[in-house]
Amino acid sequence: DVQLQASGGGFVQTGGSRRLSCAASGFSFRQHAIGWIRQAPGKEREGVACISVGDGTTYYADSVKGRFTISSDNAKNMVYLQMNNLKPEDTAVYSCVEDDRWYRCRTYGSAYIDFNSWGQGTLVTVSS
């Protein structure tokens, strides 16, 4: 079974940094697209970042471009989201998702909605 476990959430002050981790198992890691989504109270869900593990292609939402970095450790089946210069509007539950169509990162802003598997999230709270 596909399993995605996000971790690393917590409290951070505005301008601070946080790194989230996603532990993936149950599928061929290198052939998949893996992304991060977030859901804030009262706001629409947003596809934040995506990586095609096989070739390293990435996608970022405009709201996080230049501040967030997605990466993978293929030996450990891990995907990370390094978040820098955090803002109060980044407060949300962050979850990782996966799809066996590795090219879907290209259109992640809309494509994340029907990614194959979704994991449980981790809460990031940015204080002002």
Side-chain angles (χ1 to χ4, degrees):
D1 292 346
V2 172
Q3 292 191 2
L4 300 164
Q5 182 63 54
S7 62
F11 289 93
V12 61
Q13 291 185 335
T14 296
S17 297
R18 198 83 182 179
R19 189 178 82 155
L20 305 182
S21 300
C22 175
S25 63
F27 59 94
S28 300
F29 189 72
R30 289 178 176 268
Q31 299 174 11
H32 284 232
I34 300 179
W36 288 93
I37 61 169
R38 66 184 181 184
Q39 178 82 65
K43 295 185 179 179
E44 291 188 358
R45 187 181 294 130
E46 180 181 22
V48 173
C50 185
I51 186 167
S52 295
V53 177
D55 65 3
T57 302
T58 57
Y59 163 95
Y60 295 97
D62 287 342
S63 59
V64 305
K65 201 169 292 183
R67 299 188 298 122
F68 289 13
T69 302
I70 189 170
S71 62
S72 67
D73 183 334
N74 296 352
K76 298 180 179 179
N77 281 17
M78 296 289 293
V79 172
Y80 305 100
L81 186 68
Q82 178 65 44
M83 306 184 294
N84 298 329
N85 190 22
L86 283 162
K87 305 175 181 180
E89 52 263 42
D90 295 318
T91 295
V93 174
Y94 287 74
S95 305
C96 46
V97 298
E98 71 80 25
D99 199 277
D100 60 356
R101 293 162 287 185
W102 59 267
Y103 51 85
R104 299 207 80 201
C105 283
R106 300 173 185 171
T107 56
Y108 188 63
S110 56
Y112 75 89
I113 294 174
D114 63 350
F115 264 41
N116 288 341
S117 303
W118 294 43
Q120 291 188 340
T122 185
L123 176 63
V124 175
T125 303
V126 184
S127 61
S128 57

